[in-house]
Amino acid sequence: MAQVSTPTAPARRARRSLPDLVVDRLWRFFCSVRIAIWEIAILALLVLIGTLRGSSVPQTVADAVPALAPLVERWYAWDVFHSLPFMVMLGLLSVAIAIGGMINRAPGIWQAIAHPTVATTHGFLRNAEASATLAAPAPPDVLADRMTDALRAAHYRVLTEERNGEIHLYADRFRFAKLGTFPFHLALILILVGGIVGARWGFRETEFIVPEGSVRGLGYGTGLSVRLDNFSDTYQENGQPRGFRSDLTILEDGEEVKRGVATVNRPLTFGDTVFYQSGFGQAVVLRITDARGQVLWDDAAPLDFVSSVNPDAPAAVIELPPAKIKLHVIAPDSNRGNAPEQDPLGLASGTMYFLPRPLGPDGPIGDAPGVVGRVGEVSEVAGLNVEFLRERRFTSLQVGRNPGIPIFVVASLMLVGGLAVTFYFPHRRVRGIVAAAPGGGSAATIVPLARRDWSAQRAFDRLSGEIEARLGLPLSRRRSPAEGPASATSRG
Amino acid sequence: MEALVKLSFYCFAAASIAFSASAVSYLAYAVGRVRLRQTALATSAGTTYVTRSAALEPGWTGAGRFGTMLAWFGVVFQGVSIALRTAAAGHLPLSNMYEFSSSFIFLMGLVYLLFERSYGVRQLGAVVLPITVGMIVYVWSLPVGLREVNALIPALQNRPLMTAHVSLAILAYAAFAVAFAAAVLYLVAVRRSVAWLPSPELLDDLGYRAVTVGFPAMALVLILGSVWAYQAWGTYWNWDPKETAALFTWLVYGVYLHTRSLRGWRGNRSAVVLLVGFAAVIFTYYGNYFFGGLHAYGGV
Amino acid sequence: MVTADDRPISQRALVPHVPRRRPEPAPQLAVGLLVAIAILIGAWVVTGRSGLEEVGRGGINRSLLPKVGEVAPNFATEDVFGNPVELSMFRGKPVWLMFWGSWCPPCRSEFPDIQRAYGQLERDGVQLLGVAIDESPIAAGRYAAQNGATFLVLSDPDRNDTEQSYPLFNVPTHIFIDADGVIRSIVLSDMDEAMALREARALLTSAADAG
């Protein structure tokens, strides 16, 4: 038995040292199913709060009960899934799973598998909810042997023990399925471990933007950079999107190492870094020189912002540190349904609005006026020559490296495997006594260990039927009115 | 192609009729009849007393058999409907709420009938089939445009994973619906002495069996869902409302199983957990309506 | 007194389960058949009233653009200067028919690539017709001129002239038509220069094969 968890006698406890007591308390805390259920309930509540944060529910609450508005503000502000309480609860639950679900149960389970108790009592057999009795003219040891053969034929393991001239018998099937609980519970912990490993040793870039024809460095110490050769979005005839595709070239320390395609369900992998197609947009290609003809910018800039005066007008921000200028570029309104007053800039196709702003505290310009530039032309903006070369597209990729994935895969297999073994190969157990009958010959009584388990009792019915058929001896079944299910009647 | 979609829709209509008739039959069978009995008693004095008594009696056995037959018709028609639509679309009908619910109706009918067969418990149909009919009504109320076959949108373009992930979800929901029905009947059976209901123990066990089908299926749904999310979006868990609701559902059934095996819960308490679990299933099913999120390509 | 409701479960469990006491005979085959037929007739009535007529024509079955292999339907419209132009005028030449609009960002992104590709294809005798839709001929003409377009820019501001034969749901749409007026390929996305050259040159090789 599990010595650690079995409460020691009160007399002894008094003599135990404080650390012992603390360990004992903690151990029991983590073994308690009731506490584990509370932990799950609190986690579920936190998850609910965290999930609803992203929905319209908090706003609805705030609208309905204005008094709760400050609380709703804090709700929006609280990133539950990265908060301390959430982590603490996950940690507590993991430890509870490890200790209560696994370590504490291990000795008992191993005992039941390797060294089950064979001896039983007549009282136990009498009180069982179902039983089957078999009488034979042969002496007890012969009947016991034949019973053993019959049970083995039904794929049961049989252990016998002689006591007071009677033969006690224990038989079970699928005993190793009891171990299924360990991979299952270990898997739950491994999934958390996988998440931690991924977060600690991997990285995730959720918005890695590369315009067509441009190269962008990935960072995160990878030494990788990516060039977008082409982006295209394809549609069905009815306008439904069909696919989003980025043709990428991956460079390692400036050397081309891989070319490939990333689409929505087929990411591009290089080594252990994975590139996912995530979004797209427009970009503008500019060449900016200062008054002395020095090139400050010769690249595409993604229009991944929107104008502050018109949210339907995409915009880019280009920082030009040598000139201490931050250039805002605003594209024409992309929503043709907008009324003229919604589009104050009123830009025509083929133009961009350039708005220079100071970069840093000592920028050379104040709020200089904006300039409308036309494609193919050079505009003078705050002393810079801005040439609007053409428009292009950009792709937005998610890039990630997650060393936790193999752990996660192993955990998933263990989880499903453990569950399947536990549910579909239930541990079936039978106890019995073979004894000499008063009138000569012998009688064997077997009972299932299936308290309040109707399926197990059904399995026992089948088993006793098999034994009856195999031994060719009359078998009488009894069902205790106290516990028996009504299977016989309802099965017809 | 057009003919296939039409025929599929026609078969769905036939299945709708069959399932509805089946639900009525099962109800007639399980709820029983109220029989008013008039007894004339002759007294020794030559007068007669007429006593009236009302009693609940077992339902009409024939209706039960009829219900089973109609449910099988429904499953067959719905199966044909799904097969035709698969042929027309080139993928299993799982990509919008019309298709998903059609598949759900089919699997719920089938899973129920298999349980009915192995347990010989027909009364369950009086709970499961009305749920199926509710689902059918919902499908008929969906916008007509969803009846059309469309190409898969980019996010769904992963046929093996979509098929496995979504059909396992449907299987799990169907099994949980059966468990729910068993729990409802259990709660009735222990409170009312309705002799022709199956024994509470059997219902309790049946509910457990259904959960042993649904729980691993749901675990696979979560796992395959994260594998898919990882392939499509680069994160295997997004705390998206639907996936969170699915996790919550799974945890509720986890609580059900643990309280049974570790604390020996049976009967009432277990049945209540099953009711909570099914409420979570419904919440998960319609989760994308309430909260949007990444699963909001149901088409409505 | 113990009433029925007070009895413990296990006792009540022993009460026979009435409806399943005996194995039941299956419903008669004939009854089953009749019921099935009744259901099928019922479904006919129900679906007849709820739009069986329309079902199946939408979605992927909806017929929109002419198909590859068919003769491209003719249309008559005007160029940005108001001169009448018909598709059939170019029969005998491979035609690259592009629907676009300067209001459409992907069209603007691909415009320089399209023009560069056309610069090479023009010598091979490919005719590019750029039909600007949903905008005024002035806006389309100005944008094309700014970008140095050398191809023929047509304008169908309200889609009155082309929508009948070419119902579009997205621009840019590129349709490649060979010298015999047969559609060889349709591209429902923007293109870069290389792709445009590849698609258009396929028209030349097929023309050479036929000739």
Side-chain angles (χ1 to χ4, degrees):
Chain A
M1 289 310 293
Q3 296 138 348
V4 235
S5 68
T6 35
T8 39
R12 259 193 70 196
R13 185 184 296 173
R15 270 184 269 120
R16 289 174 70 191
S17 62
L18 185 67
D20 260 10
L21 264 175
V22 170
V23 168
D24 190 53
R25 273 289 160 83
L26 277 177
W27 190 268
R28 280 201 240 173
F29 176 81
F30 286 120
C31 287
S32 161
V33 174
R34 189 183 295 258
I35 290 170
I37 288 172
W38 273 109
E39 284 161 1
I40 291 175
I42 293 171
L43 264 179
L45 185 72
L46 287 173
V47 163
L48 191 69
I49 292 171
T51 308
L52 290 183
R53 195 169 75 105
S55 76
S56 58
V57 172
Q59 199 51 56
T60 318
V61 171
D63 291 347
V65 191
L68 290 177
L71 206 66
V72 168
E73 276 308 308
R74 289 177 62 186
W75 190 354
Y76 272 123
W78 192 33
D79 183 7
V80 179
F81 300 119
H82 296 103
S83 71
L84 190 66
F86 188 72
M87 295 296 165
V88 167
M89 290 315 294
L90 274 185
L92 279 180
L93 189 63
S94 308
V95 177
I97 291 169
I99 293 181
M102 298 174 65
I103 302 172
N104 189 40
R105 288 163 69 190
I109 287 177
W110 183 246
Q111 184 80 20
I113 292 172
H115 313 290
T117 318
V118 176
T120 182
T121 63
H122 286 282
F124 179 81
L125 300 190
R126 251 197 320 278
N127 289 330
E129 57 275 26
S131 73
T133 306
L134 206 102
D141 54 333
V142 176
L143 179 59
D145 282 349
R146 295 193 60 194
M147 288 284 289
T148 303
D149 290 345
L151 282 163
R152 286 200 174 127
H155 308 290
Y156 275 68
R157 167 185 69 162
V158 187
L159 301 171
T160 54
E161 209 175 284
E162 204 170 328
R163 290 212 158 188
N164 315 327
E166 294 172 336
I167 297 162
H168 291 223
L169 177 153
Y170 170 90
D172 67 356
R173 193 178 180 198
F174 299 136
R175 61 183 183 278
F176 290 111
K178 276 188 100 69
L179 297 174
T181 176
F182 293 108
F184 174 79
H185 285 97
L186 187 59
L188 293 180
I189 296 172
L190 279 184
I191 286 174
L192 295 177
V193 170
I196 293 165
V197 167
R200 179 71 187 74
W201 286 283
F203 70 85
R204 271 177 56 67
E205 170 59 59
T206 52
E207 209 177 28
F208 181 55
I209 291 178
V210 191
E212 279 176 332
S214 295
V215 178
R216 292 288 185 269
L218 177 58
Y220 297 99
T222 56
L224 297 181
S225 47
V226 175
R227 184 174 74 227
L228 176 66
D229 298 316
N230 185 45
F231 173 83
S232 68
D233 46 341
T234 315
Y235 294 84
Q236 312 280 357
E237 281 180 26
N238 63 5
Q240 199 193 341
R242 184 171 165 186
F244 305 110
R245 167 193 168 118
S246 294
D247 296 321
L248 302 172
T249 301
I250 298 172
L251 310 156
E252 190 167 23
D253 303 323
E255 295 284 312
E256 177 176 332
V257 283
K258 181 160 185 169
R259 266 172 201 254
V261 175
T263 62
V264 173
N265 261 296
R266 277 164 218 86
L268 177 67
T269 306
F270 174 70
D272 50 3
T273 308
V274 193
F275 299 83
Y276 302 88
Q277 178 64 52
S278 158
F280 62 92
Q282 291 296 114
V284 56
V285 185
L286 303 175
R287 188 182 149 88
I288 305 174
T289 52
D290 62 14
R292 286 169 297 156
Q294 198 186 344
V295 179
L296 302 180
W297 177 271
D298 187 9
D299 197 357
L303 295 154
D304 53 344
F305 292 84
V306 292
S307 154
S308 56
V309 290
N310 177 2
D312 284 324
V317 177
I318 300 172
E319 295 191 349
L320 303 165
K324 293 185 175 160
I325 284 178
K326 187 163 65 173
L327 186 66
H328 294 227
V329 185
I330 300 167
D333 190 315
S334 60
N335 183 355
R336 305 201 77 210
N338 280 347
E341 60 269 23
Q342 286 170 289
D343 180 23
L345 289 175
L347 295 171
S349 304
T351 61
M352 291 281 162
Y353 186 71
F354 301 118
L355 189 64
R357 283 286 172 266
L359 177 67
D362 55 344
I365 49 159
D367 279 1
V371 174
V372 175
R374 286 153 67 144
V375 64
E377 294 180 5
V378 181
S379 316
E380 209 207 301
V381 183
L384 302 174
N385 294 317
V386 180
E387 187 179 8
F388 173 12
L389 292 163
R390 67 173 290 184
E391 290 176 58
R392 296 207 88 150
R393 317 195 75 185
F394 75 76
T395 189
S396 172
L397 304 170
Q398 286 217 24
V399 190
R401 172 183 287 173
N402 192 339
I405 289 298
I407 301 177
F408 182 69
V409 169
V410 170
S412 303
L413 291 176
M414 282 166 53
L415 184 106
V416 176
L419 275 183
V421 164
T422 311
F423 287 152
Y424 305 130
F425 300 95
H427 189 206
R428 304 274 189 228
R429 292 172 296 168
V430 170
R431 290 196 185 283
I433 297 179
V434 185
S442 58
T445 299
I446 51 171
V447 303
L449 271 82
R451 220 171 78 77
R452 299 163 81 185
D453 185 345
W454 193 80
S455 298
Q457 293 181 30
R458 220 157 53 130
F460 178 73
D461 286 347
R462 271 200 305 276
L463 176 68
S464 56
E466 278 174 42
I467 294 173
E468 186 175 22
R470 194 175 169 87
L471 301 189
L473 293 168
L475 183 143
S476 64
R477 288 190 179 81
R478 180 185 61 82
R479 240 171 229 299
S480 148
E483 286 284 356
S487 62
T489 49
S490 62
R491 287 290 296 165
Chain B
M1 284 311 206
E2 185 188 331
L4 287 180
V5 181
K6 265 197 205 321
L7 207 55
S8 164
F9 177 61
Y10 172 71
C11 286
F12 167 64
S16 304
I17 295 173
F19 279 128
S20 308
S22 168
V24 172
S25 305
Y26 275 118
L27 281 170
Y29 167 75
V31 173
R33 288 180 286 191
V34 180
R35 172 161 293 182
L36 288 171
R37 207 171 291 186
Q38 275 197 9
T39 323
L41 292 171
T43 60
S44 53
T47 55
T48 53
Y49 287 105
V50 178
T51 63
R52 288 200 183 84
S53 62
L56 260 182
E57 298 218 331
W60 176 28
T61 314
R65 268 189 290 155
F66 217 66
T68 303
M69 183 184 79
L70 285 165
W72 275 112
F73 280 154
V75 166
V76 169
F77 287 138
Q78 191 64 8
V80 172
S81 167
I82 287 171
L84 291 170
R85 208 174 158 96
T86 307
H91 56 85
L92 276 176
L94 305 167
S95 66
N96 69 24
M97 261 312 201
Y98 172 88
E99 300 192 332
F100 183 71
S101 302
S102 297
S103 303
F104 184 35
I105 290 162
F106 168 72
L107 262 186
M108 187 153 50
L110 187 65
V111 168
Y112 163 69
L113 284 170
L114 293 179
F115 268 93
E116 181 192 294
R117 252 182 113 83
S118 74
Y119 276 79
V121 178
R122 246 185 204 137
Q123 291 87 340
L124 224 53
V127 182
V128 177
L129 266 293
I131 297 175
T132 313
V133 171
M135 214 63 224
I136 287 170
V137 170
Y138 166 69
V139 172
W140 279 95
S141 73
L142 286 170
V144 178
L146 293 185
R147 294 175 189 165
E148 301 299 345
V149 168
N150 265 309
L152 292 177
I153 59 164
L156 293 180
Q157 283 167 8
N158 191 326
R159 239 168 278 170
L161 269 179
M162 180 182 83
T163 307
H165 171 70
V166 185
S167 38
L168 277 166
I170 293 174
L171 174 70
Y173 293 172
F176 291 148
V178 171
F180 167 75
V184 168
L185 282 195
Y186 177 89
L187 292 173
V188 173
V190 291
R191 272 167 188 73
R192 297 260 162 275
S193 81
V194 187
W196 63 91
L197 281 182
S199 78
E201 282 83 357
L202 185 141
L203 290 168
D204 187 63
D205 188 67
L206 201 156
Y208 172 72
R209 285 287 138 202
V211 173
T212 61
V213 173
F215 188 70
M218 200 69 191
L220 275 172
V221 170
L222 292 171
I223 289 167
L224 293 174
S226 16
V227 170
W228 190 2
Y230 186 67
Q231 276 184 22
W233 301 316
T235 33
Y236 56 83
W237 196 263
N238 290 293
W239 295 111
D240 157 66
K242 194 152 183 139
E243 78 190 9
T244 310
L247 176 67
F248 179 72
T249 306
W250 188 71
L251 285 179
V252 171
Y253 287 99
V255 166
Y256 169 84
L257 292 169
H258 275 84
T259 50
R260 273 182 90 89
S261 73
L262 297 181
R263 297 189 74 85
W265 282 22
R266 290 290 186 281
N268 263 330
R269 288 196 283 186
S270 274
V272 170
V273 179
L274 286 183
L275 299 192
V276 173
F278 196 64
V281 167
I282 300 216
F283 186 74
T284 310
Y285 198 97
Y286 295 108
N288 39 343
Y289 283 90
F290 302 128
F291 305 116
L294 296 166
H295 281 83
Y297 21 64
V300 194
Chain C
M1 202 192 100
V2 177
T3 67
D5 283 327
D6 296 328
R7 279 184 294 165
I9 300 164
S10 44
Q11 277 184 29
R12 198 147 14 94
L14 297 176
V15 175
H17 166 54
V18 179
R20 281 290 293 187
R21 213 166 357 179
R22 268 180 224 134
E24 303 152 1
Q28 297 280 317
L29 193 65
V31 175
L33 264 176
L34 276 178
V35 170
I37 290 167
I39 290 171
L40 289 173
I41 293 171
W44 187 253
V45 174
V46 169
T47 51
R49 289 193 185 172
S50 51
L52 187 63
E53 203 55 30
E54 288 80 45
V55 169
R57 293 192 185 155
I60 52 172
N61 293 332
R62 188 154 159 205
S63 201
L64 290 164
L65 292 176
K67 300 281 167 274
V68 170
E70 290 175 7
V71 173
N74 190 29
F75 61 85
T77 184
E78 293 175 349
D79 68 14
V80 287
F81 307 108
N83 305 310
V85 178
E86 270 191 60
L87 178 63
S88 60
M89 286 160 54
F90 303 96
R91 186 60 69 86
K93 263 180 114 175
V95 173
W96 167 7
L97 179 60
M98 169 174 83
F99 290 92
W100 70 288
S102 75
W103 49 269
C104 134
C107 303
R108 293 202 300 265
S109 299
E110 71 166 357
F111 207 94
D113 283 72
I114 299 297
Q115 175 55 39
R116 266 210 300 279
Y118 182 63
Q120 300 173 52
L121 292 163
E122 204 173 5
R123 293 191 295 272
D124 301 331
V126 175
Q127 179 66 50
L128 170 54
L129 301 177
V131 186
I133 56 171
D134 296 349
E135 67 180 329
S136 71
I138 297 166
R142 194 175 54 207
Y143 182 84
Q146 256 177 16
N147 283 275
T150 57
F151 53 88
L152 190 48
V153 181
L154 311 182
S155 172
D156 185 10
D158 307 310
R159 301 205 212 179
N160 289 334
D161 302 333
T162 56
E163 186 158 36
Q164 192 75 30
S165 316
Y166 299 92
L168 295 173
F169 281 81
N170 41 268
V171 282
T173 290
H174 300 271
I175 300 175
F176 293 90
I177 303 163
D178 69 13
D180 300 324
V182 177
I183 296 174
R184 288 295 168 202
S185 64
I186 298 176
V187 175
L188 292 156
S189 74
D190 60 341
M191 297 192 292
D192 60 3
E193 187 184 344
M195 184 180 181
L197 286 173
R198 206 165 50 239
E199 293 288 337
R201 285 194 169 135
L203 293 178
L204 297 170
T205 53
S206 68
D209 293 346

